[in-house]
Amino acid sequence: MIPATENFYARWRAQARNGNFLRDEQFPAERLVQAIWQHQRLRRGKLKTAAGQSVRVYHPGFANLEGGPDFRGAVLQIGGDAPCSGDVEVDLRASGWRAHGHDSNPNFQNVRLHVVWDDAGTMTARRDGAAGAPAIVCLKNVLDAPLEELSLSLENESLRSLPENLRGKCCAPLRELEEAHVVRLLEHAARVRLENKAAQMRARAKNAGWEQALWENLFRALGYKHNVWPMQHLAEQRSRLAMSLENLSPGDTLLVLQARLLGISGLLPDELTRAEKSSDSYLRRIWDVWWRERDAFADAVLPRTAWRFHGLRPANHPRRRLALASHWLARKNFVTQIENWIVSKKDMGTPQAVCRRLMDILQVESDDFWSWHLTFKSPRLKKPLPLLGDARVTDLAINVVLPWLWIRAMEGGNDKIRDEVERRYFGWPTAEDNSILKLARQRLLGTSNPKILKTAAQQQGLIQIVRDFCEHSNAACDGCKFPELVQAERDSGKTNLS
Ligand code: SF4
């Protein structure tokens, strides 16, 4: 290989790249230390904690792109302890643990190792294990190459892409399957997911009826992953929410429903903003209803602490979701519209058209306040913002509407509708990418390219495999049977997957 200095391109690169990692005022930048950890560019046999215990890294963990520690699910052995799974936090210095508030943040409770660049002040910052703090490991003196060389080789490595040697054990056998067989495998897994969801709805419908089972699942889906339970609670109040609405105008019906939903949710502010006129006028109208009704609903009102807002975009705030739900509840034929959607063939030629028709049903034309506001305190938007985005329609279709229609068709012995539900389910365009899919694509399918999954059902299939196998194993794939099953399937002449 030509030494870098004799290669003009390498020289250009070194000159041009006064940046990325090096551009950071501190060198190394924390991102470089994270990359060194992720790629384990270390003399691994020399890793020791600040207290002198040996550290064996079976798996460095998966880069966490959301809030919380930098790496999730590492597999580590510290000193004479048995190997264990836990998180890893990377900081330039040990003092970062307290300075960044990790010591009091519950998201960091599962951190087993605090990886730092420089050990200066480590022992004074805290001792290993003191007050439940994780063990500290310093990387500065255990690199497997000079720092500048590591900077050059790792600067373009995104933390999002998993190093090849950290792929799952099933990745190789899956790659040996023909593409059509992988698709079939994903679709089989997706069918299991569909049937599981449908079975849960049937169980609920036995006690509460089909309509209530649908409403509860719609509300839960509006709660995203963090606010499923408060949304479930609100859906359980559905018959009370609908009390005494018969003689009201459509506008008043909507206002009363919004007042009840906001009041019961505990998300109705006690005070006016005194800054936003339109918000205060809306709040006054809501309170005019709620102050008369709140005693009747007192037993159902949730504490604000029931909700989680961390990481939520303002457009997805539960209050906006409740506004959307109020429009659905106000529409008397809402469930009938969903039932008609599955039997209608009009304008349903392509999966996109099918999707659009459901969007027409679930979308709300306009809400006087919530189409124009993200929060009570934010100024009026220049353009109205829909209460429901395209991506959410796919989630609602795949996770709620289609499983509900499918189980109803199954229970009613209606093969024609069942087949139509399945046709729409397996043809539905892909949903928005998410962190589970991103990691699973790399671990199982060996690619970060989202286009490898062509439908929402294939995405669902991959998530099901993660739930069934990855979540019962660890980052090092210990004890996972999936690779063997794929291999056996391949060796057996592909009877199930062809
Ligand atoms: S745990 Fe199993 S399914 Fe998950 S990546 Fe590892 S081998 Fe594959």
Side-chain angles (χ1 to χ4, degrees):
M1 191 174 134
I2 307 171
T5 46
E6 290 175 28
N7 175 324
F8 76 91
Y9 180 78
R11 281 200 304 277
W12 284 1
R13 184 174 179 241
Q15 284 165 13
R17 132 195 128 29
N18 257 332
N20 293 356
F21 291 125
L22 287 171
R23 205 165 25 231
D24 211 282
E25 277 181 8
Q26 313 209 49
F27 184 67
E30 192 169 304
R31 195 159 62 90
L32 175 55
V33 183
Q34 289 170 341
I36 290 169
W37 175 256
Q38 185 184 36
H39 291 260
Q40 291 286 289
R41 294 299 307 271
L42 305 163
R43 285 179 287 136
R44 285 154 54 79
K46 300 276 181 214
L47 276 186
K48 285 205 183 326
T49 69
Q53 289 181 298
S54 62
V55 176
R56 193 154 174 212
V57 181
Y58 292 93
H59 195 291
F62 301 108
N64 173 28
L65 305 171
E66 298 178 347
D70 294 314
F71 292 88
R72 295 273 195 197
V75 185
L76 308 161
Q77 186 173 28
I78 300 176
D81 293 349
C84 68
S85 285
D87 301 335
V88 172
E89 173 63 9
V90 178
D91 280 313
L92 289 179
R93 287 182 193 82
S95 54
W97 186 255
R98 284 219 183 105
H100 303 158
H102 303 329
D103 55 335
S104 55
N105 184 339
N107 280 335
F108 287 76
Q109 260 171 9
N110 201 28
V111 172
R112 296 277 172 270
L113 203 61
H114 187 202
V115 170
V116 301
W117 169 248
D118 198 336
D119 61 358
T122 294
M123 296 310 284
T124 49
R126 68 188 152 81
R127 306 183 77 81
D128 284 2
I136 302 169
V137 160
C138 299
L139 302 190
K140 191 176 178 180
N141 298 320
V142 287
L143 304 182
D144 71 355
L147 186 60
E148 285 69 20
E149 189 181 321
L150 290 178
S151 168
L152 273 172
S153 86
L154 295 175
E155 71 172 347
N156 294 328
E157 294 286 341
S158 162
L159 286 175
R160 287 165 195 266
S161 64
L162 199 65
E164 205 149 319
N165 58 352
L166 294 184
R167 290 196 179 138
K169 287 182 182 161
C170 60
C171 187
L174 277 171
R175 276 181 160 183
E176 285 170 23
L177 285 182
E178 284 174 27
E179 192 187 325
H181 294 153
V182 175
V183 167
R184 196 109 175 91
L185 171 62
L186 292 172
E187 288 183 348
H188 277 259
R191 174 174 279 277
V192 167
R193 196 160 173 78
L194 169 70
E195 290 178 7
N196 278 346
K197 284 192 177 132
Q200 283 170 24
M201 289 186 189
R202 179 179 51 202
R204 183 63 185 140
K206 279 207 171 116
N207 294 314
W210 285 113
E211 277 206 22
Q212 181 61 18
L214 174 65
W215 280 108
E216 287 178 13
N217 280 280
L218 287 170
F219 268 64
R220 289 166 69 99
L222 292 184
Y224 292 78
K225 55 185 171 187
H226 294 316
N227 289 312
V228 166
W229 287 107
M231 290 303 268
Q232 164 83 25
H233 171 78
L234 289 169
E236 285 170 3
Q237 312 304 315
R238 190 171 67 99
S239 54
R240 294 172 80 185
L241 288 166
M243 278 185 323
S244 320
L245 298 176
E246 303 78 20
N247 301 321
L248 299 181
S249 68
D252 285 346
T253 301
L254 205 55
L255 188 73
V256 171
L257 282 168
Q258 291 189 2
R260 289 175 180 174
L261 283 167
L262 283 169
I264 298 173
S265 69
L267 298 177
L268 184 59
D270 291 335
E271 298 191 352
L272 302 178
T273 68
R274 309 213 180 278
E276 286 302 320
K277 241 168 108 183
S278 50
S279 296
D280 287 348
S281 141
Y282 173 72
L283 278 170
R284 275 197 196 94
R285 292 194 303 132
I286 291 285
W287 265 107
D288 277 350
V289 177
W290 182 242
W291 78 264
R292 276 185 269 117
E293 300 208 323
R294 61 181 169 179
D295 287 348
F297 288 101
D299 60 312
V301 174
L302 288 170
R304 221 184 125 81
T305 49
W307 299 89
R308 282 181 61 193
F309 306 106
H310 181 76
L312 267 184
R313 288 187 223 145
N316 298 335
H317 193 284
R319 288 191 189 113
R320 292 191 96 242
R321 299 291 166 216
L322 294 181
L324 173 64
S326 71
H327 282 266
W328 290 351
L329 287 167
R331 218 187 297 159
K332 292 201 173 60
N333 62 348
F334 179 74
V335 175
T336 313
Q337 285 182 308
I338 289 179
E339 288 167 337
N340 289 343
W341 169 76
I342 199 67
V343 287
S344 167
K345 292 275 194 300
K346 197 166 165 261
D347 302 330
M348 301 279 193
T350 62
Q352 285 72 16
V354 168
C355 188
R356 247 191 334 269
R357 279 294 302 128
L358 186 62
M359 178 66 156
D360 292 344
I361 295 167
L362 298 179
Q363 187 55 279
V364 166
E365 225 165 77
S366 167
D367 182 278
D368 289 349
F369 181 78
W370 290 107
S371 296
W372 297 94
H373 292 83
L374 293 175
T375 66
F376 288 122
K377 289 194 176 147
S378 59
R380 187 181 160 89
L381 299 165
K382 293 208 167 64
K383 280 196 312 194
L385 185 72
L387 285 173
L388 187 69
D390 292 1
R392 204 88 284 256
V393 174
T394 291
D395 285 349
L396 289 165
I398 293 293
N399 293 310
V400 183
V401 173
L402 288 166
W404 183 76
L405 290 165
W406 186 83
I407 192 66
R408 290 199 64 196
M410 289 293 285
E411 293 287 294
N414 192 329
D415 295 349
K416 217 166 126 203
I417 292 192
R418 183 205 59 200
D419 290 349
E420 183 58 23
V421 173
E422 291 181 8
R423 190 181 74 78
R424 294 185 189 188
Y425 182 87
F426 287 103
W428 202 277
T430 47
E432 218 172 42
D433 208 9
N434 60 42
S435 54
I436 298 175
L437 283 170
K438 275 184 191 135
L439 182 56
R441 273 197 313 269
Q442 294 180 59
R443 282 190 86 192
L444 284 85
L445 305 178
T447 175
S448 54
N449 184 357
K451 292 200 177 129
I452 194 159
L453 301 171
K454 307 274 187 309
T455 61
Q458 290 177 24
Q459 293 174 317
Q460 290 289 304
L462 191 58
I463 292 172
Q464 187 63 36
I465 296 170
V466 169
R467 300 272 183 258
D468 289 336
F469 292 94
C470 302
E471 289 185 2
H472 296 273
S473 178
N474 58 16
C477 304
D478 288 336
C480 178
K481 295 263 181 288
F482 191 61
E484 277 170 47
L485 293 167
V486 175
Q487 188 68 47
E489 186 57 40
R490 189 179 155 271
D491 296 344
S492 71
K494 309 158 188 135
T495 44
N496 293 323
L497 297 177
S498 33

